[in-house]
Amino acid sequence: MKAYIEKIADYKDKEVEISGWLYNKRSSGKIHFLEVRDGTGFIQVVVVKGQVDEGVFELCDKISQESSIKVVGNVREEPRAPGGYELDLKSIQVIAQAEVYPLQKKEHGIDFLLSNRHLWLRSKAPWAIIRIRDEVIRSIIDFFHSKDFIKLDAPIFTPSACEGTTTLFEVPYFDQKVYLSQSGQLYGEAGCMAFNKIYTFGPTFRAEASKTRRHLTEFWQIEPEVAYAKLDDIMELAEQFVTYIVQRVLANRQKELKMLERDVTILEKIKVPFYRISYSEAIEMVKKQSVSGGEVPILQWGDDFGAPQETYIASQFDKPVFVHRYPTKCKAFYMKPDPENPDVVLCTDLLASEGYGEIIGGSQREENIQALEKKIEKEGLPKEAHEWYLDLRRYGSVPHSGFGLGLERLVTWICGLHHIRETIPFPRTIDRVSP
């Protein structure tokens, strides 16, 4: 009977066949312990001399790491074993004997591991991270569909910038130049005018010359956009969204979180409502820590936060915190000024707890065409390329709002990782485009 390790509990005291690879092995005299993986999980296979043919016992001693194999044996409950079950071997078939495997038990540098990312994915930590990423992706789709959102696919080739021109990848496109998308937001705004509630979900690209632990040049972004929604509406949507995702991971990926040694008690606190503070209040927090001897650089009112400030602010809370109403001069052209204080815009960043910083950025959009035209001119953006975007204000403009969530930043926080590059199967950074 063929079985997957992930479902091995369903086959207690039964004979099964598992097709996989030899992840690790050790011997203790008359017993071989083979750790086998099949892509869905890991299980220990016990080979006892005298209980199998002599040839089988000798073969198990010679199989190299990552050889592909098929094993047949009886499933036995064993509380001391990882996963709670072991397989008592009856027979084994080697499909392909592997050459000497480059990734050994010794410590390898991160550059070596990333250069061998196609093999590193087989190791337990990357395996667990990508499975958690998959759970996050599934929960994103389920959340929005449960709230009757329509998925809108935004183009990857765009004629203009969404958030400034300095971080664009320019691409030759027949007889003209286009850019790899920084965001699906502008197209999402068109979508919400047609369908009311939409979300985009796809790859986005930022040509930032940054080597920080929070940056990738290619990443996945989720961007809901809602007609007639204001800033408070999308803040409520965002906290419901993040809470739903975290609770789904806790419910379905405990095994993987344990592999990563993640403190789940921190994640268990993630429930609505989240904390909310204004940009001005956040600036005061940063100033106070500096006066008391802290190391985070002081900013003047009007400056955007960098990683040190975000890390400090987020570390002061046991749940995510919204920082809202940033200065107008440091935010994007499409954000609506606060009618009660035009020096700030109706926007918000959601900072993850434990000092992980921004995972969501959102705003209420400027729905007034005259105001938007002035902003486009002031920013020096090409008006012709934005005419279709201005059409959304010409023909039935309404208040509307949305946000963007970086998938990899969210997974970094949920998994408790130091660097974002481990959260995507094949990371792209300013100095890496291979494998």
Side-chain angles (χ1 to χ4, degrees), residues 37-92:
R37 64 175 190 86
D38 70 347
T40 75
F42 299 78
I43 193 169
Q44 182 166 275
V45 178
V46 181
V47 189
V48 180
K49 190 171 186 178
Q51 293 184 9
V52 296
D53 292 340
E54 187 65 27
V56 169
F57 190 82
E58 292 178 0
L59 177 61
C60 290
D61 190 44
K62 296 176 181 178
I63 302 171
S64 56
Q65 184 181 0
E66 285 302 321
S67 292
S68 50
I69 57 177
K70 288 186 178 181
V71 294
V72 176
N74 291 320
V75 178
R76 173 169 49 83
E77 189 170 16
E78 173 49 77
R80 295 171 297 178
Y85 292 88
E86 289 183 338
L87 196 71
D88 290 326
L89 186 75
K90 283 193 170 182
S91 65
I92 186 168

Short mmCIF file of all heavy atoms in Angstrom, two decimals, residues 37-92:
data_model
loop_
_atom_site.label_atom_id
_atom_site.label_comp_id
_atom_site.label_asym_id
_atom_site.label_seq_id
_atom_site.Cartn_x
_atom_site.Cartn_y
_atom_site.Cartn_z
N ARG A 37 12.93 10.86 3.66
CA ARG A 37 11.99 11.95 3.37
C ARG A 37 11.30 11.65 2.05
O ARG A 37 11.87 11.01 1.16
CB ARG A 37 12.72 13.31 3.29
CG ARG A 37 13.71 13.39 2.16
CD ARG A 37 14.33 14.77 2.02
NE ARG A 37 15.10 14.84 0.77
CZ ARG A 37 14.58 15.16 -0.41
NH1 ARG A 37 13.29 15.47 -0.50
NH2 ARG A 37 15.32 15.18 -1.49
N ASP A 38 10.07 12.12 1.91
CA ASP A 38 9.34 11.92 0.65
C ASP A 38 8.74 13.21 0.12
O ASP A 38 7.92 13.21 -0.79
CB ASP A 38 8.25 10.85 0.81
CG ASP A 38 7.08 11.32 1.66
OD1 ASP A 38 7.20 12.37 2.35
OD2 ASP A 38 6.04 10.65 1.66
N GLY A 39 9.17 14.34 0.68
CA GLY A 39 8.63 15.63 0.28
C GLY A 39 7.48 16.09 1.15
O GLY A 39 7.23 17.29 1.27
N THR A 40 6.76 15.14 1.77
CA THR A 40 5.66 15.50 2.66
C THR A 40 6.07 15.43 4.13
O THR A 40 5.35 15.92 4.99
CB THR A 40 4.44 14.60 2.46
OG1 THR A 40 4.69 13.30 3.05
CG2 THR A 40 4.11 14.42 0.99
N GLY A 41 7.20 14.79 4.41
CA GLY A 41 7.64 14.65 5.79
C GLY A 41 8.88 13.79 5.90
O GLY A 41 9.48 13.37 4.88
N PHE A 42 9.25 13.49 7.13
CA PHE A 42 10.45 12.71 7.44
C PHE A 42 10.05 11.57 8.38
O PHE A 42 9.23 11.76 9.28
CB PHE A 42 11.51 13.58 8.11
CG PHE A 42 11.99 14.74 7.27
CD1 PHE A 42 11.21 15.89 7.15
CD2 PHE A 42 13.20 14.69 6.61
CE1 PHE A 42 11.65 16.97 6.39
CE2 PHE A 42 13.64 15.75 5.84
CZ PHE A 42 12.86 16.90 5.73
N ILE A 43 10.64 10.40 8.18
CA ILE A 43 10.35 9.27 9.06
C ILE A 43 11.60 8.43 9.23
O ILE A 43 12.43 8.31 8.31
CB ILE A 43 9.20 8.40 8.51
CG1 ILE A 43 8.71 7.43 9.59
CG2 ILE A 43 9.60 7.66 7.24
CD1 ILE A 43 7.40 6.73 9.24
N GLN A 44 11.77 7.86 10.42
CA GLN A 44 12.89 6.96 10.69
C GLN A 44 12.51 5.54 10.32
O GLN A 44 11.47 5.04 10.76
CB GLN A 44 13.30 7.04 12.16
CG GLN A 44 14.50 6.17 12.50
CD GLN A 44 15.10 6.52 13.84
OE1 GLN A 44 15.92 7.42 13.95
NE2 GLN A 44 14.68 5.81 14.88
N VAL A 45 13.37 4.91 9.53
CA VAL A 45 13.18 3.52 9.13
C VAL A 45 14.20 2.68 9.87
O VAL A 45 15.42 2.93 9.80
CB VAL A 45 13.33 3.36 7.60
CG1 VAL A 45 13.17 1.89 7.19
CG2 VAL A 45 12.33 4.24 6.86
N VAL A 46 13.73 1.67 10.59
CA VAL A 46 14.60 0.84 11.42
C VAL A 46 14.89 -0.47 10.68
O VAL A 46 13.97 -1.17 10.25
CB VAL A 46 13.94 0.55 12.78
CG1 VAL A 46 14.86 -0.30 13.65
CG2 VAL A 46 13.58 1.85 13.48
N VAL A 47 16.19 -0.78 10.56
CA VAL A 47 16.63 -1.99 9.85
C VAL A 47 17.41 -2.85 10.85
O VAL A 47 18.51 -2.47 11.27
CB VAL A 47 17.52 -1.64 8.63
CG1 VAL A 47 17.76 -2.88 7.79
CG2 VAL A 47 16.90 -0.52 7.79
N VAL A 48 16.84 -3.97 11.23
CA VAL A 48 17.46 -4.83 12.24
C VAL A 48 18.08 -6.07 11.56
O VAL A 48 17.41 -6.78 10.82
CB VAL A 48 16.42 -5.29 13.29
CG1 VAL A 48 17.07 -6.18 14.34
CG2 VAL A 48 15.77 -4.07 13.94
N LYS A 49 19.36 -6.30 11.83
CA LYS A 49 20.05 -7.46 11.27
C LYS A 49 19.39 -8.74 11.79
O LYS A 49 19.08 -8.88 12.97
CB LYS A 49 21.51 -7.43 11.67
CG LYS A 49 22.37 -8.46 10.94
CD LYS A 49 23.85 -8.25 11.21
CE LYS A 49 24.69 -9.19 10.35
NZ LYS A 49 26.14 -8.95 10.55
N GLY A 50 19.16 -9.66 10.88
CA GLY A 50 18.49 -10.90 11.24
C GLY A 50 17.00 -10.87 10.97
O GLY A 50 16.35 -11.90 10.85
N GLN A 51 16.44 -9.63 10.89
CA GLN A 51 15.01 -9.50 10.58
C GLN A 51 14.78 -9.16 9.11
O GLN A 51 13.63 -9.13 8.65
CB GLN A 51 14.38 -8.43 11.48
CG GLN A 51 14.35 -8.83 12.95
CD GLN A 51 13.63 -7.80 13.82
OE1 GLN A 51 13.02 -6.86 13.31
NE2 GLN A 51 13.71 -7.98 15.14
N VAL A 52 15.90 -8.89 8.40
CA VAL A 52 15.84 -8.67 6.95
C VAL A 52 16.91 -9.53 6.31
O VAL A 52 17.83 -10.02 7.00
CB VAL A 52 16.06 -7.18 6.58
CG1 VAL A 52 14.95 -6.30 7.12
CG2 VAL A 52 17.42 -6.70 7.07
N ASP A 53 16.84 -9.73 5.01
CA ASP A 53 17.87 -10.49 4.31
C ASP A 53 19.22 -9.83 4.51
O ASP A 53 19.33 -8.61 4.62
CB ASP A 53 17.57 -10.57 2.80
CG ASP A 53 16.33 -11.41 2.51
OD1 ASP A 53 15.94 -12.21 3.38
OD2 ASP A 53 15.75 -11.24 1.41
N GLU A 54 20.28 -10.64 4.54
CA GLU A 54 21.62 -10.12 4.75
C GLU A 54 21.99 -9.09 3.68
O GLU A 54 22.62 -8.07 3.95
CB GLU A 54 22.65 -11.26 4.74
CG GLU A 54 24.06 -10.84 5.12
CD GLU A 54 24.17 -10.35 6.57
OE1 GLU A 54 23.36 -10.78 7.41
OE2 GLU A 54 25.07 -9.53 6.83
N GLY A 55 21.54 -9.35 2.43
CA GLY A 55 21.83 -8.42 1.34
C GLY A 55 21.15 -7.08 1.55
O GLY A 55 21.72 -6.04 1.22
N VAL A 56 19.95 -7.12 2.09
CA VAL A 56 19.23 -5.88 2.36
C VAL A 56 19.95 -5.08 3.45
O VAL A 56 20.12 -3.86 3.35
CB VAL A 56 17.77 -6.17 2.79
CG1 VAL A 56 17.10 -4.92 3.35
CG2 VAL A 56 16.99 -6.73 1.63
N PHE A 57 20.41 -5.77 4.49
CA PHE A 57 21.10 -5.11 5.59
C PHE A 57 22.39 -4.45 5.09
O PHE A 57 22.70 -3.31 5.45
CB PHE A 57 21.41 -6.11 6.70
CG PHE A 57 21.92 -5.45 7.96
CD1 PHE A 57 21.04 -4.89 8.88
CD2 PHE A 57 23.28 -5.40 8.23
CE1 PHE A 57 21.51 -4.29 10.04
CE2 PHE A 57 23.74 -4.80 9.39
CZ PHE A 57 22.86 -4.24 10.30
N GLU A 58 23.14 -5.18 4.25
CA GLU A 58 24.38 -4.62 3.71
C GLU A 58 24.11 -3.46 2.76
O GLU A 58 24.85 -2.47 2.73
CB GLU A 58 25.16 -5.72 2.98
CG GLU A 58 25.70 -6.80 3.92
CD GLU A 58 26.44 -7.91 3.17
OE1 GLU A 58 26.51 -7.81 1.92
OE2 GLU A 58 26.92 -8.85 3.82
N LEU A 59 23.05 -3.57 1.98
CA LEU A 59 22.70 -2.49 1.06
C LEU A 59 22.39 -1.20 1.82
O LEU A 59 22.80 -0.11 1.41
CB LEU A 59 21.49 -2.89 0.21
CG LEU A 59 20.93 -1.84 -0.76
CD1 LEU A 59 21.99 -1.45 -1.79
CD2 LEU A 59 19.68 -2.36 -1.46
N CYS A 60 21.70 -1.34 2.93
CA CYS A 60 21.35 -0.15 3.72
C CYS A 60 22.58 0.56 4.26
O CYS A 60 22.55 1.76 4.54
CB CYS A 60 20.43 -0.54 4.87
SG CYS A 60 18.77 -1.03 4.33
N ASP A 61 23.67 -0.19 4.43
CA ASP A 61 24.91 0.40 4.91
C ASP A 61 25.63 1.17 3.81
O ASP A 61 26.46 2.04 4.09
CB ASP A 61 25.82 -0.70 5.46
CG ASP A 61 27.03 -0.15 6.20
OD1 ASP A 61 26.85 0.80 6.99
OD2 ASP A 61 28.15 -0.64 5.98
N LYS A 62 25.32 0.84 2.56
CA LYS A 62 26.06 1.42 1.42
C LYS A 62 25.31 2.56 0.72
O LYS A 62 25.90 3.29 -0.08
CB LYS A 62 26.36 0.33 0.40
CG LYS A 62 27.27 -0.77 0.92
CD LYS A 62 27.45 -1.87 -0.13
CE LYS A 62 28.35 -2.99 0.40
NZ LYS A 62 28.49 -4.08 -0.59
N ILE A 63 24.04 2.71 0.99
CA ILE A 63 23.27 3.74 0.29
C ILE A 63 23.78 5.13 0.68
O ILE A 63 23.95 5.43 1.86
CB ILE A 63 21.77 3.63 0.64
CG1 ILE A 63 21.24 2.26 0.28
CG2 ILE A 63 20.96 4.70 -0.11
CD1 ILE A 63 19.84 2.01 0.78
N SER A 64 24.00 5.97 -0.30
CA SER A 64 24.52 7.31 -0.07
C SER A 64 23.39 8.29 0.20
O SER A 64 22.24 8.09 -0.20
CB SER A 64 25.34 7.78 -1.27
OG SER A 64 24.57 7.73 -2.45
N GLN A 65 23.75 9.38 0.88
CA GLN A 65 22.79 10.43 1.20
C GLN A 65 22.13 10.97 -0.06
O GLN A 65 22.78 11.23 -1.06
CB GLN A 65 23.48 11.55 1.96
CG GLN A 65 22.55 12.66 2.42
CD GLN A 65 23.29 13.76 3.14
OE1 GLN A 65 24.51 13.71 3.31
NE2 GLN A 65 22.57 14.79 3.58
N GLU A 66 20.83 11.14 -0.03
CA GLU A 66 19.99 11.67 -1.10
C GLU A 66 19.81 10.71 -2.28
O GLU A 66 19.30 11.10 -3.32
CB GLU A 66 20.47 13.03 -1.59
CG GLU A 66 20.14 14.17 -0.63
CD GLU A 66 18.65 14.29 -0.33
OE1 GLU A 66 17.84 14.11 -1.25
OE2 GLU A 66 18.30 14.57 0.83
N SER A 67 20.19 9.44 -2.08
CA SER A 67 19.80 8.43 -3.08
C SER A 67 18.29 8.29 -3.05
O SER A 67 17.65 8.37 -2.00
CB SER A 67 20.45 7.08 -2.75
OG SER A 67 21.85 7.15 -2.93
N SER A 68 17.70 8.09 -4.21
CA SER A 68 16.25 7.89 -4.28
C SER A 68 15.95 6.42 -4.04
O SER A 68 16.60 5.53 -4.59
CB SER A 68 15.70 8.34 -5.63
OG SER A 68 16.44 7.78 -6.70
N ILE A 69 14.96 6.16 -3.19
CA ILE A 69 14.68 4.79 -2.75
C ILE A 69 13.18 4.57 -2.58
O ILE A 69 12.40 5.51 -2.47
CB ILE A 69 15.39 4.48 -1.40
CG1 ILE A 69 14.97 5.49 -0.33
CG2 ILE A 69 16.89 4.46 -1.56
CD1 ILE A 69 15.54 5.24 1.06
N LYS A 70 12.82 3.29 -2.57
CA LYS A 70 11.49 2.87 -2.15
C LYS A 70 11.67 1.90 -1.00
O LYS A 70 12.45 0.95 -1.09
CB LYS A 70 10.74 2.20 -3.29
CG LYS A 70 10.29 3.14 -4.39
CD LYS A 70 9.42 2.43 -5.42
CE LYS A 70 8.93 3.40 -6.49
NZ LYS A 70 8.06 2.71 -7.50
N VAL A 71 10.95 2.15 0.10
CA VAL A 71 11.04 1.26 1.26
C VAL A 71 9.67 0.68 1.56
O VAL A 71 8.65 1.36 1.41
CB VAL A 71 11.60 1.99 2.49
CG1 VAL A 71 13.04 2.40 2.27
CG2 VAL A 71 10.76 3.20 2.85
N VAL A 72 9.66 -0.57 1.98
CA VAL A 72 8.43 -1.24 2.39
C VAL A 72 8.61 -1.69 3.84
O VAL A 72 9.67 -2.24 4.19
CB VAL A 72 8.11 -2.44 1.50
CG1 VAL A 72 6.88 -3.19 2.01
CG2 VAL A 72 7.89 -2.00 0.05
N GLY A 73 7.63 -1.43 4.67
CA GLY A 73 7.75 -1.85 6.06
C GLY A 73 6.46 -1.64 6.82
O GLY A 73 5.46 -1.15 6.28
N ASN A 74 6.48 -2.01 8.09
CA ASN A 74 5.31 -1.89 8.96
C ASN A 74 5.39 -0.59 9.77
O ASN A 74 6.44 -0.28 10.35
CB ASN A 74 5.24 -3.07 9.92
CG ASN A 74 4.90 -4.36 9.20
OD1 ASN A 74 4.07 -4.37 8.31
ND2 ASN A 74 5.56 -5.45 9.60
N VAL A 75 4.29 0.12 9.81
CA VAL A 75 4.21 1.37 10.56
C VAL A 75 3.99 1.05 12.03
O VAL A 75 3.06 0.31 12.38
CB VAL A 75 3.07 2.26 10.03
CG1 VAL A 75 2.97 3.55 10.85
CG2 VAL A 75 3.28 2.58 8.55
N ARG A 76 4.84 1.63 12.86
CA ARG A 76 4.76 1.36 14.29
C ARG A 76 4.76 2.70 15.04
O ARG A 76 5.56 3.58 14.76
CB ARG A 76 5.94 0.51 14.73
CG ARG A 76 6.07 0.31 16.22
CD ARG A 76 7.13 -0.76 16.54
NE ARG A 76 8.36 -0.54 15.83
CZ ARG A 76 9.34 0.30 16.24
NH1 ARG A 76 9.17 0.99 17.36
NH2 ARG A 76 10.46 0.43 15.55
N GLU A 77 3.86 2.80 16.01
CA GLU A 77 3.83 4.01 16.82
C GLU A 77 5.03 4.02 17.75
O GLU A 77 5.33 3.01 18.41
CB GLU A 77 2.53 4.08 17.63
CG GLU A 77 2.32 5.40 18.33
CD GLU A 77 0.92 5.54 18.92
OE1 GLU A 77 0.22 4.51 19.05
OE2 GLU A 77 0.54 6.68 19.25
N GLU A 78 5.74 5.17 17.78
CA GLU A 78 6.91 5.30 18.63
C GLU A 78 6.97 6.75 19.13
O GLU A 78 7.42 7.65 18.42
CB GLU A 78 8.18 4.95 17.85
CG GLU A 78 9.49 5.21 18.59
CD GLU A 78 9.51 4.63 19.99
OE1 GLU A 78 9.68 3.41 20.12
OE2 GLU A 78 9.34 5.42 20.96
N PRO A 79 6.50 7.00 20.36
CA PRO A 79 6.43 8.37 20.89
C PRO A 79 7.76 9.11 20.88
O PRO A 79 7.80 10.34 20.79
CB PRO A 79 5.93 8.17 22.32
CG PRO A 79 5.23 6.85 22.29
CD PRO A 79 6.00 6.01 21.31
N ARG A 80 8.88 8.37 20.97
CA ARG A 80 10.19 9.03 21.01
C ARG A 80 10.67 9.47 19.64
O ARG A 80 11.60 10.27 19.53
CB ARG A 80 11.21 8.08 21.63
CG ARG A 80 10.95 7.73 23.09
CD ARG A 80 11.87 6.63 23.56
NE ARG A 80 11.63 5.39 22.81
CZ ARG A 80 12.32 4.26 22.99
NH1 ARG A 80 13.29 4.22 23.90
NH2 ARG A 80 12.04 3.18 22.28
N ALA A 81 10.05 8.96 18.60
CA ALA A 81 10.49 9.29 17.24
C ALA A 81 9.89 10.62 16.79
O ALA A 81 8.77 10.96 17.16
CB ALA A 81 10.07 8.18 16.28
N PRO A 82 10.63 11.38 15.99
CA PRO A 82 10.04 12.60 15.40
C PRO A 82 8.80 12.24 14.59
O PRO A 82 8.83 11.36 13.75
CB PRO A 82 11.16 13.11 14.47
CG PRO A 82 12.41 12.52 15.03
CD PRO A 82 12.02 11.18 15.58
N GLY A 83 7.70 12.88 14.90
CA GLY A 83 6.45 12.55 14.21
C GLY A 83 5.66 11.45 14.89
O GLY A 83 4.49 11.23 14.56
N GLY A 84 6.29 10.75 15.85
CA GLY A 84 5.57 9.75 16.64
C GLY A 84 5.44 8.38 16.02
O GLY A 84 4.79 7.50 16.60
N TYR A 85 6.07 8.15 14.84
CA TYR A 85 5.96 6.84 14.18
C TYR A 85 7.30 6.46 13.56
O TYR A 85 8.10 7.33 13.17
CB TYR A 85 4.88 6.88 13.08
CG TYR A 85 3.49 7.02 13.63
CD1 TYR A 85 2.94 8.28 13.87
CD2 TYR A 85 2.73 5.89 13.95
CE1 TYR A 85 1.68 8.42 14.41
CE2 TYR A 85 1.45 6.02 14.49
CZ TYR A 85 0.94 7.28 14.72
OH TYR A 85 -0.32 7.41 15.26
N GLU A 86 7.53 5.15 13.47
CA GLU A 86 8.68 4.60 12.78
C GLU A 86 8.21 3.53 11.80
O GLU A 86 7.07 3.07 11.86
CB GLU A 86 9.67 3.97 13.77
CG GLU A 86 10.42 4.97 14.60
CD GLU A 86 11.44 4.31 15.53
OE1 GLU A 86 11.31 3.10 15.83
OE2 GLU A 86 12.38 5.02 15.95
N LEU A 87 9.14 3.16 10.91
CA LEU A 87 8.85 2.10 9.94
C LEU A 87 9.85 0.98 10.15
O LEU A 87 11.07 1.21 10.11
CB LEU A 87 8.96 2.66 8.51
CG LEU A 87 8.35 1.81 7.41
CD1 LEU A 87 6.83 1.85 7.49
CD2 LEU A 87 8.82 2.30 6.04
N ASP A 88 9.36 -0.23 10.43
CA ASP A 88 10.22 -1.41 10.52
C ASP A 88 10.40 -1.97 9.11
O ASP A 88 9.43 -2.44 8.50
CB ASP A 88 9.60 -2.47 11.44
CG ASP A 88 9.62 -2.03 12.89
OD1 ASP A 88 10.58 -1.34 13.29
OD2 ASP A 88 8.67 -2.36 13.63
N LEU A 89 11.62 -1.91 8.61
CA LEU A 89 11.88 -2.24 7.20
C LEU A 89 11.68 -3.72 6.90
O LEU A 89 12.08 -4.59 7.67
CB LEU A 89 13.30 -1.84 6.82
CG LEU A 89 13.64 -1.99 5.34
CD1 LEU A 89 12.99 -0.88 4.53
CD2 LEU A 89 15.14 -2.03 5.11
N LYS A 90 11.07 -3.96 5.74
CA LYS A 90 11.00 -5.31 5.19
C LYS A 90 11.84 -5.44 3.94
O LYS A 90 12.56 -6.42 3.74
CB LYS A 90 9.54 -5.67 4.87
CG LYS A 90 8.71 -6.04 6.08
CD LYS A 90 7.40 -6.69 5.65
CE LYS A 90 6.66 -7.28 6.85
NZ LYS A 90 5.40 -7.97 6.42
N SER A 91 11.74 -4.41 3.07
CA SER A 91 12.53 -4.44 1.83
C SER A 91 12.82 -3.02 1.39
O SER A 91 12.15 -2.07 1.80
CB SER A 91 11.77 -5.18 0.73
OG SER A 91 10.59 -4.50 0.37
N ILE A 92 13.84 -2.91 0.52
CA ILE A 92 14.24 -1.60 0.02
C ILE A 92 14.70 -1.73 -1.42
O ILE A 92 15.30 -2.74 -1.81
CB ILE A 92 15.37 -1.00 0.90
CG1 ILE A 92 15.69 0.44 0.46
CG2 ILE A 92 16.61 -1.86 0.88
CD1 ILE A 92 16.57 1.18 1.46
#
